[in-house]
Amino acid sequence: MHPNHHPDPSPHHPTRWTDHRLATAYATRIDLLDRDTAWPALTPLLTPATPRRLLGRPDAVILELGAGIAAYAHHLAEHHWTRTHAVDISPTLHRIGEQRHNDAWILRTTPDRAGRLPLRPHQCTAALAHLTLCHQPTDAHTLALLTETRRALRPHAVFAIIEPGEIGRDFQLLRYGHPHAAAEPRPGEPYPIDYTLADGTRLRTTAHHRSPDHNARLLAQAGFTLHEIRPLPLPGYGGTPFTLWTAHATP
């Protein structure tokens, strides 16, 4: 283990995102890779090409899975006139998010014990999951999340998914897998994702590897049609920190 790693779970056990200490540390994660690489690719998919900006009415109603402190939801509300249902299982991240990004168009919520979301059918115009599906420990967890997402989306709505990019490469602010890993993890195998925090240390979390074909089958089973999978390279640096999946809610 890197000497600057925070105390963390074994890479063979799911990350306890509801743990107060872990969530407090994660809230300080440096998100420049997200802002420079993922956000510019996500925004055109989630927001209308022609803004309406009607008084008191959002241009889009977005469901964000694993929203954390809702930094991206705050960006969308400020710059793109959107309302976001920011879903996260961590009460700590919701509390920190309310302190940092207090906005009437960010509606923070948690699933109930059965995994259901407090949303009406077809309530949202788009959805996103940023490094969220990869942290689901089982197919059952993943499918339940996807099925609830489909229920909340209008027919043909976009579901944009950010998944890990190159495994084994250190992007300084983010690293998937063990350094200089010789190969991708086997299907279903857990592997670490290290997030760099504001104090320069790294927080180790657990992800679970699924092949593109496997994820595509889960999406189809939940009622989505996969449109595209494309790498998101890091501008001016090289390498691919993220992969963008674009799916649509099947009518």
Side-chain angles (χ1 to χ4, degrees):
M1 182 181 297
H2 190 284
N4 288 331
H5 276 144
H6 277 244
D8 48 39
S10 162
H12 299 292
H13 296 285
T15 301
R16 292 185 59 207
W17 293 102
T18 54
D19 181 87
H20 171 74
R21 292 177 300 171
L22 186 144
T24 301
Y26 182 80
T28 69
R29 157 173 114 79
I30 301 174
D31 63 0
L32 290 179
L33 277 179
D34 302 3
R35 295 174 182 269
D36 292 345
T37 308
W39 292 11
L42 288 169
T43 300
L45 297 172
L46 303 173
T47 60
T50 304
R52 295 184 297 271
R53 301 294 176 98
L54 300 178
L55 182 63
R57 297 187 61 184
D59 279 359
V61 179
I62 297 169
L63 168 61
E64 182 176 5
L65 306 174
I69 62 172
Y72 183 48
H74 181 65
H75 168 83
L76 289 174
E78 280 201 328
H79 300 285
H80 299 280
W81 212 254
T82 66
R83 174 183 294 137
T84 297
H85 293 273
V87 177
D88 206 283
I89 63 171
S90 169
T92 298
L93 287 173
H94 280 317
R95 284 195 298 270
I96 294 173
E98 287 176 352
Q99 295 166 3
R100 294 190 194 174
H101 306 299
N102 187 10
D103 194 300
W105 276 4
I106 300 175
L107 307 177
R108 294 177 170 84
T109 188
T110 57
D112 66 16
R113 290 188 176 184
R116 293 183 296 260
L117 301 176
L119 297 171
R120 300 187 307 275
H122 306 163
Q123 187 171 348
C124 298
T125 61
L128 77 141
H130 183 102
L131 296 183
T132 300
L133 298 187
C134 61
H135 284 296
Q136 302 307 305
T138 68
D139 284 356
H141 287 88
T142 305
L143 188 58
L145 194 59
L146 293 176
T147 301
E148 272 298 279
T149 301
R150 174 62 192 90
R151 184 184 65 81
L153 284 176
R154 299 174 187 176
H156 306 289
V158 169
F159 182 24
I161 306 164
I162 297 291
E163 284 286 275
E166 293 178 66
I167 291 180
R169 181 164 184 165
D170 193 343
F171 293 97
Q172 304 303 319
L173 302 182
L174 184 63
R175 182 173 64 202
Y176 309 112
H178 297 284
H180 312 298
E184 283 193 346
R186 295 184 298 275
E189 183 180 5
Y191 65 94
I193 296 183
D194 297 333
Y195 295 99
T196 300
L197 309 181
D199 63 3
T201 61
R202 281 177 160 165
L203 176 67
R204 175 155 290 181
T205 63
T206 301
H208 299 266
H209 183 67
R210 297 178 182 89
S211 70
D213 286 345
H214 192 102
N215 275 337
R217 286 194 296 271
L218 292 175
L219 283 166
Q221 192 173 347
F224 290 97
T225 300
L226 181 61
H227 174 68
E228 181 184 39
I229 305 173
R230 65 183 175 98
L232 296 182
L234 182 59
Y237 180 81
T240 303
F242 303 117
T243 303
L244 173 62
W245 294 55
T246 306
H248 292 88
T250 304

